[in-house]
Amino acid sequence: MRPRVLTTTAELRAAVAEQLAAAGPGPVSLGLVPTMGALHEGHAALARAARTENDVVVATIFVNPLQFGDPLDLDRYPRTLEADLEILGGYGVDLVFVPSREEMYPGGEPLVRLSAGRLGERFEGEFRPGHFDGMLTVVAKLLHLAWPAADAAYRAYFGQKDAQQLALIRRMVRDLSFTADIRAVPTVRSAEGLALSSRNRFLTAEEADAALVLSRALRLLAERAVRCEPLDLESAVALVESQPLVQLEYFEVVDPDTLEPLAFNCRETPFSGEALALIAARVGSVRLIDNQPLLADPAGT
């Protein structure tokens, strides 16, 4: 069934209150799925998780201009609203908030924004200056606009594929005392292993095949980690660099929470504990990111 589409803040707040009242009496919950549209199976996984865990599910579709440093990249971002609504309706989303730029940012770009701080300056932040400040600003607004009644549980769903974004949102929620529970949904991949992304549609068949080296290199580290072997990051880097169509930007093993590099776990030291491998590369004209949680299994199970 097609979800109800809302375009103004007033409509959203009224509809959230109406839906929660209809879901009662007793404890109720709301799940929020923020997106920029151009939805694929990765976004569907967010909607499925939200539908499973909540009485009311709200998705948002807004291509946030604050996240784009290059106006051409903003213009190029795919807009597929009708197809997106079909996908969200198929997974039982109740409400879809589709605001205009003027609705989200009355009077133009906001003068006051959130800062991602040092955590937002490395990795993606280095290659996309200001991106995370814009992302946190809009996520904070969306969390606020969809906020349910005080007695309702509130959960927001984000994909593990955007690992740095996820870490920053969790830190924002903690630092600014938001009461929303941030839920991470595992990365969804193609049958061949490529992490699903709205940008994958711009890859040629040859480039899509070349891009598989990213997930192969990540799996190599995960296999070594689970066996408590040295990760030998240099050999994984060499694997990626052996693919001529792939231009590596970064490949690092970090702490999952702080994103600080864990150099001691990357070379000759047997891997222990847990970590996160982050990778970014250009394949042709398309920039791709991916990541892989790493977990040692001393018991060998």
Side-chain angles (χ1 to χ4, degrees), residues 154-215:
Y154 192 22
R155 306 178 181 102
Y157 295 79
F158 298 89
Q160 175 62 41
K161 186 184 83 70
D162 296 297
Q164 189 172 8
Q165 170 180 281
L166 178 61
L168 281 162
I169 291 170
R170 282 176 162 161
R171 186 62 189 241
M172 176 190 74
V173 165
R174 189 181 82 180
D175 287 352
L176 300 185
S177 301
F178 281 73
T179 56
D181 180 15
I182 303 302
R183 297 294 180 96
V185 177
T187 301
V188 178
R189 300 182 180 277
S190 69
E192 296 77 20
L194 184 64
L196 297 191
S197 168
S198 301
R199 299 177 186 272
N200 290 359
R201 68 188 67 196
F202 300 122
L203 295 168
T204 67
E206 184 181 15
E207 289 168 346
D209 185 64
L212 295 176
V213 75
L214 304 181
S215 57

Side-chain angles (χ1 to χ4, degrees), residues 15-32 49-58 92 94-95 146-157 179-181 183:
V16 165
E18 177 186 324
Q19 290 280 330
L20 289 172
V28 292
S29 61
L30 183 142
L32 179 68
R51 179 74 281 164
T52 299
E53 297 181 350
N54 299 281
D55 298 296
V56 178
V57 178
V58 178
D94 301 297
L95 307 172
W147 211 276
D151 58 346
Y154 192 22
R155 306 178 181 102
Y157 295 79
T179 56
D181 180 15
R183 297 294 180 96

Side-chain angles (χ1 to χ4, degrees), residues 31 128 254:
R128 304 174 68 186
V254 300

Side-chain angles (χ1 to χ4, degrees), residues 74-266:
L74 173 61
D75 292 340
R76 188 187 185 202
Y77 194 89
R79 274 81 166 174
T80 57
L81 179 59
E82 289 305 314
D84 295 343
L85 294 176
E86 288 294 325
I87 290 172
L88 295 172
Y91 288 98
V93 170
D94 301 297
L95 307 172
V96 181
F97 183 45
V98 189
S100 66
R101 185 182 303 191
E102 292 72 25
E103 182 70 20
M104 287 298 292
Y105 302 122
E109 290 194 5
L111 297 178
V112 178
R113 309 185 190 191
L114 292 180
S115 169
R118 291 183 295 108
L119 188 57
E121 294 172 356
R122 60 188 66 156
F123 303 120
E124 287 304 285
E126 178 182 348
F127 289 89
R128 304 174 68 186
H131 166 74
F132 286 125
D133 293 354
M135 178 276 295
L136 289 176
T137 299
V138 78
V139 169
K141 287 201 71 166
L142 292 171
L143 284 172
H144 173 66
L145 293 177
W147 211 276
D151 58 346
Y154 192 22
R155 306 178 181 102
Y157 295 79
F158 298 89
Q160 175 62 41
K161 186 184 83 70
D162 296 297
Q164 189 172 8
Q165 170 180 281
L166 178 61
L168 281 162
I169 291 170
R170 282 176 162 161
R171 186 62 189 241
M172 176 190 74
V173 165
R174 189 181 82 180
D175 287 352
L176 300 185
S177 301
F178 281 73
T179 56
D181 180 15
I182 303 302
R183 297 294 180 96
V185 177
T187 301
V188 178
R189 300 182 180 277
S190 69
E192 296 77 20
L194 184 64
L196 297 191
S197 168
S198 301
R199 299 177 186 272
N200 290 359
R201 68 188 67 196
F202 300 122
L203 295 168
T204 67
E206 184 181 15
E207 289 168 346
D209 185 64
L212 295 176
V213 75
L214 304 181
S215 57
R216 286 202 300 270
L218 291 171
R219 282 199 307 273
L220 181 63
L221 294 186
E223 291 164 0
R224 291 170 178 169
V226 78
R227 296 193 296 262
C228 303
E229 297 174 356
L231 296 184
D232 188 14
L233 181 59
E234 289 82 359
S235 68
V237 168
L239 173 62
V240 176
E241 292 179 337
S242 70
Q243 172 50 255
L245 295 181
V246 176
Q247 181 182 348
L248 186 64
E249 290 187 345
Y250 62 78
F251 194 178
E252 188 62 84
V253 176
V254 300
D255 179 278
D257 298 318
T258 67
L259 303 188
E260 290 291 340
L262 298 179
F264 66 90
N265 264 328
C266 301

